[in-house]
Amino acid sequence: MTLSFDITTLRQGYLAGSFKPSDIITEVLSRIESGDSKIWISVDTKERLLAQAAELETKDPATLPLYGIPFGVKDNIDVAELPTTAACPDYRYFAEKDATVVAQLRAAGAIPIGKTNLDQFATGLVGVRSPYGVPGNAFDPEYLPGGSSSGSAVSVALGQVSFALGTDTAGSGRVPACFNNLVGLKPSRGLLSASGVVPACKSLDCVSIFALNASDAQTALRSAAAFDPSDAYSRQAPVQLESPRRAYREGMTFGVPSPEQLNFFGDQAYLNLYLEAVGQLESLGFKKQVVDFSPFLSAARLLYEGPWVAERYWAIQELIKEAPDALHPITKAIIEKGIDGTAVDAFDASYKLQAFRQATLPLWDEIDFLATPTAGTHYKIEEVEADPIQLNSNLGYYTNFMNLLDLASVAVPTGFTPKKLPFGITVIAPAFHDEKLLQVANKLHVASDLALGTSDQKVFPELAPFPTETLSIAVCGAHMSGLPLNSQLTELGATFNRAEKTSPNYRLFALPGTTPPKPGMVRDSSAGASIDLEIWELPKTQWAAFIEQIPSPLGIANIELADGTFVKGFSCEAWATSNATEVTNHGNWRKYIATLG
């Protein structure tokens, strides 16, 4: 069995001493050499790669999250001492330093192997617009590899590297993931620095991550993310939860486009697989809601029909003026359209986009994420060559709106067609909901029971918890799991921690006239007992919202636990127990409720 390059497997091997980084580099180079030469535009030298591995071998593998992990870099992202071409030989230059995102990953212990092929200047969703050839789709070379990040996706799917960087302005980090059985993370714009990245649409560009599973994508994201003052569009994710919807929780609501707004371009297999994926989400406990998808579709049309094409022209204006024949004919035809727009056109489009943004905002109060197909179909290369513009446009049906509307998304594999070609859906939410989406993607990927990439391996580690500050709260009654008021906690992003008991110093009363029935717990060291509790972790930013819902005579006090420590929790004013039924002898509110029938 070929060694899987997923991050968990490699880390376990490093920690156990089964192999070292230089062994993995040797294996990586062997796999690349024996594979499709059109996947990579350039590969670093064996000497330099082994030197990086040797330096890592002087360190403790446990101290670096990406220790010895090999990764690919799309060739519009700089890697020091390697050429950057953006798939245009006449544009080629040698990078003096790493792009910020590459530097972050290198600092975490990862090793950049080389530069992967792409649709020239990241213009296209097909993966066939490169003078360096077409990387073969990992499952059938007659079909598109997907673009523009074609080489990055195929290299991961074939197990040549553990993960790879792409870019995603219009879907280039998701469509290739779908076509090659990968997780494709399109982070919130600005979360990963674009400094050292050849721009496509500078105001919309986004560095993306191709990975074998959601855990690997999360590890790479957390290592690469950093605010970068040198990138004018860099942003930092809030550490705190400004909204409970940023945190994953069970039973979330997801939106699906209404049936007449779905488009599979005649591909019945993709339609069937999408319906199966939606059913799988429902079987996992998520709640489906049909939504109006029209504002998203209208926004999507602006990307190539509006003035944002002028950004593509701006990025390579000197080259297109001085050496227009250096461009791929289709790339040139698309980008040249950016010359004709006016300032009036730009403002007109910006006003339309703002209206579409406003139209979509209320939706996020109703749903936690959208679930759409990643692509509506999968074309053969010869089909796209016969109709390159329209078929490429079809592939952007579910992707082009994403960065215009400031959304985050994760493409996740969910099945295979009868022709044994991969299919997947994309889960979508507002910016900075990346971690929640990764959790959803992981749940769905596990349930789909698919092997990673082209391998026979199934490795799905648990994801790291959401990085937020919480405060423990002890609940003893209707807020406990499965009881009527538990939703007041979960809707604010609270998560269950553990079951506990109080010290033997408390009495429990059933308060009269409360709906739903509520207990009151008071401290009484002379006649008390130990009462069962649940400890929940509530984001600190949600405490005010939670406390607002607490009615008199209940309040929050310091509750002593059985081990003598204290935690914030529900308490009751003593006066309210004078006409209440004492239920201390039950020791547990659920047991008392059960006696009521």
Side-chain angles (χ1 to χ4, degrees), residues 172-525:
S172 298
R174 290 159 280 154
V175 171
C178 174
F179 291 171
N180 292 279
N181 194 37
L182 298 174
V183 169
L185 167 64
K186 190 217 76 66
S188 304
R189 282 191 295 110
L191 199 56
L192 300 187
S193 170
S195 181
V197 178
V198 177
C201 291
K202 193 175 179 68
S203 65
L204 300 178
D205 289 340
C206 181
V207 175
S208 67
I209 296 168
F210 294 96
L212 293 166
N213 57 40
S215 174
D216 287 6
Q218 183 192 54
T219 301
L221 173 68
R222 290 189 173 187
S223 298
F227 179 74
D228 182 3
S230 69
D231 174 8
Y233 290 95
S234 182
R235 298 191 291 180
Q236 196 163 14
V239 175
Q240 302 294 347
L241 286 173
E242 85 289 351
S243 160
R245 291 191 182 276
R246 279 187 63 211
Y248 176 86
R249 64 187 187 283
E250 300 296 331
M252 292 189 293
T253 299
F254 69 99
V256 297
S258 59
E260 70 276 8
Q261 293 171 332
L262 290 167
N263 197 340
F264 293 93
F265 309 98
D267 192 330
Q268 187 65 39
Y270 261 37
L271 167 59
N272 293 341
L273 286 166
Y274 175 64
L275 296 177
E276 288 176 17
V278 169
Q280 187 72 265
L281 283 170
E282 291 183 287
S283 73
L284 290 169
F286 300 114
K287 303 179 184 72
K288 183 180 78 173
Q289 178 173 320
V290 176
V291 302
D292 179 12
F293 198 52
S294 59
F296 297 91
L297 296 175
S298 297
R301 286 191 288 271
L302 287 175
L303 188 64
Y304 282 102
E305 296 175 12
W308 284 273
V309 179
E311 283 200 274
R312 294 184 181 270
Y313 179 79
W314 173 88
I316 58 167
Q317 56 188 309
E318 295 306 319
L319 178 68
I320 205 168
K321 288 175 185 175
E322 297 173 7
D325 293 339
L327 272 67
H328 187 284
I330 302 302
T331 307
K332 180 172 177 285
I334 293 169
I335 294 178
E336 277 185 334
K337 294 178 182 178
I339 303 172
D340 300 327
T342 68
V344 174
D345 294 332
F347 278 107
D348 179 64
S350 70
Y351 300 149
K352 288 177 181 176
L353 178 58
Q354 188 59 30
F356 297 142
R357 285 174 177 161
Q358 291 289 75
T360 61
L361 285 177
L363 178 65
W364 302 113
D365 291 327
E366 301 174 16
I367 65 172
D368 296 283
F369 61 94
L370 267 172
T372 72
T374 300
T377 188
H378 191 176
Y379 297 114
K380 286 185 175 182
I381 293 173
E382 63 182 21
E383 293 177 289
V384 169
E385 288 176 342
D387 189 2
I389 302 295
Q390 185 56 53
L391 298 195
N392 183 91
S393 178
N394 292 351
L395 295 181
Y397 187 84
Y398 299 105
T399 64
N400 285 351
F401 59 83
M402 200 76 63
N403 286 335
L404 288 167
L405 295 177
D406 198 16
L407 304 174
S409 63
V410 181
V412 57
T414 61
F416 278 78
T417 70
K419 294 180 180 179
K420 299 187 180 353
L421 292 168
F423 171 83
I425 70 167
T426 295
V427 291
I428 305 160
F432 305 124
H433 290 231
D434 310 71
E435 295 269 355
K436 175 182 77 177
L437 294 175
L438 284 167
Q439 294 281 1
V440 173
N442 188 56
K443 293 279 187 185
L444 185 57
H445 202 184
V446 171
S448 300
D449 194 34
L450 300 178
L452 308 180
T454 59
S455 76
D456 58 0
Q457 310 291 310
K458 296 179 181 180
V459 184
F460 299 107
E462 287 292 320
L463 272 63
F466 192 94
T468 183
E469 287 189 70
T470 62
L471 193 62
S472 297
I473 180 169
V475 297
C476 61
H479 286 86
M480 297 172 81
S481 303
L483 296 185
L485 297 183
N486 182 247
S487 62
Q488 291 184 354
L489 283 168
T490 58
E491 287 176 359
L492 293 175
T495 56
F496 177 78
N497 183 317
R498 66 190 189 277
E500 269 288 1
K501 289 180 177 290
T502 69
S503 65
N505 298 311
Y506 290 89
R507 299 170 69 185
L508 196 65
F509 295 84
L511 300 177
T514 55
T515 305
K518 300 182 186 72
M521 189 170 71
V522 296
R523 186 176 177 94
D524 187 342
S525 56

Side-chain angles (χ1 to χ4, degrees), residues 518-592:
K518 300 182 186 72
M521 189 170 71
V522 296
R523 186 176 177 94
D524 187 342
S525 56
S526 63
S530 184
I531 306 297
D532 287 345
L533 303 170
E534 286 182 357
I535 307 297
W536 285 72
E537 297 299 321
L538 181 66
K540 285 186 177 180
T541 52
Q542 300 302 326
W543 265 83
F546 182 69
I547 290 172
E548 246 184 351
Q549 302 176 76
I550 300 174
S552 176
L554 301 178
I556 298 294
N558 289 314
I559 305 299
E560 186 180 21
L561 302 182
D563 63 2
T565 61
F566 287 83
V567 65
K568 304 294 182 187
F570 277 96
S571 185
C572 181
E573 294 186 66
W575 63 263
T577 64
S578 57
N579 296 318
T581 302
E582 183 164 2
V583 295
T584 306
N585 62 308
H586 293 281
N588 182 304
W589 181 246
R590 280 197 183 88
K591 290 180 180 178
Y592 167 70

